[in-house]
Amino acid sequence: MTTRIAILISGRGSNMVALADAIENGKLPNTEIAIVISDQPDAKGLAAAQERSLKTLVVERRGRKREEHDREIVSVLREERIDLVCLAGYMRVLSPFLVDAFKKRILNIHPSLLPLYPGLDAQRQALEHDAKVSGCTVHFVDNTLDGGPIIAQRTVAVGEDDTVETLSARILEQEHILYPEAVALVLKHGFDE
Ligand code: GRF
């Protein structure tokens, strides 16, 4: 059986590309990206997905409340028979409706060593705290902000001269390694029903 993955993006989509590359390179056997969904029509990642011949769909917010927007996303996920949802730079907090519809089947990547520095600007938060080490985390999504069970992490040393840009770039390199590793772990373990 092939595991059908949906990737939700809002922007650049480099983690989406890393997952697509891992599948192409045989690092995630029996897995396919069934659809890439963006809430932003101008997300750069949409073009990157199309270049790779991945199916894309824009589900715009259109001023709707979170749950109403998510109901449309859930119906697409069901139509596509999605097994696993990977958030990759998706900038809208999910409603409990979506989280509960795909319980323990939604992953997120965050640019810090959670539970440190949840929310926005995680790299800036690390610098403001004079952290010597930061990194990235893939975790299950629950109804807390960046608070669900941690699946895997990679660390990055923070240098004295680091800026938000330099630190973000080094963390991003690790994110691209981590996300496929974390998906592999989840698939190896199987889904709890
Ligand atoms: C990454 O830093 C990710 O950890 C965070 O948003 C950024 C998305 O980058 N959640 P990209 O769109 O995958 O390039």
Side-chain angles (χ1 to χ4, degrees):
M1 269 270 287
T2 304
T3 301
R4 292 173 62 80
I5 297 181
I7 304 183
L8 268 57
I9 64 169
S10 298
R12 182 175 55 187
S14 70
N15 279 289
M16 178 270 299
V17 168
L19 287 169
D21 287 349
I23 291 174
E24 200 167 311
N25 298 333
K27 289 190 186 136
L28 292 169
N30 304 320
T31 302
E32 66 175 310
I33 297 173
I35 192 162
V36 175
I37 300 174
S38 172
D39 63 333
Q40 302 294 331
D42 52 359
K44 288 220 173 70
L46 286 170
Q50 284 153 8
E51 267 166 37
R52 286 166 177 75
S53 305
L54 298 175
K55 180 171 178 181
T56 59
L57 182 71
V58 176
V59 181
E60 280 190 80
R61 300 181 183 193
R62 300 203 312 271
R64 288 176 291 180
K65 290 223 167 77
R66 207 167 272 163
E67 177 168 331
E68 212 184 314
H69 180 221
D70 281 355
R71 280 186 184 270
E72 187 180 345
I73 292 174
V74 166
S75 70
V76 171
L77 297 175
R78 292 213 168 110
E79 252 166 55
E80 292 287 342
R81 304 183 320 280
I82 295 303
D83 302 299
L84 184 68
V85 179
C86 294
L87 307 184
Y90 185 66
M91 295 307 286
R92 188 167 214 192
V93 173
L94 304 188
S95 64
F97 179 77
L98 173 46
V99 173
D100 295 345
F102 284 83
K103 233 188 193 111
K104 303 238 191 89
R105 287 172 180 260
I106 308 178
L107 312 185
N108 181 42
I109 186 153
H110 184 80
S112 76
L113 295 175
L114 290 171
L116 289 175
Y117 319 137
L120 292 176
D121 288 329
Q123 301 93 335
R124 184 182 304 280
Q125 293 184 54
L127 291 173
E128 282 171 1
H129 284 83
D130 280 328
K132 303 299 172 225
V133 176
S134 192
C136 45
T137 302
V138 174
H139 63 95
F140 286 108
V141 173
D142 63 12
N143 289 310
T144 61
L145 180 66
D146 299 325
I150 290 170
I151 297 161
Q153 296 182 305
R154 293 182 78 93
T155 57
V156 170
V158 183
E160 301 255 306
D161 304 333
D162 260 321
T163 62
V164 172
E165 289 69 33
T166 58
L167 180 60
S168 301
R170 288 209 317 291
I171 292 176
L172 192 63
E173 275 175 31
Q174 297 304 310
E175 291 185 40
H176 296 161
I177 303 169
L178 180 70
Y179 217 161
E181 285 177 349
V183 169
L185 264 177
V186 168
L187 297 182
K188 191 170 150 205
H189 176 269
F191 299 109
D192 299 328
E193 290 309 329

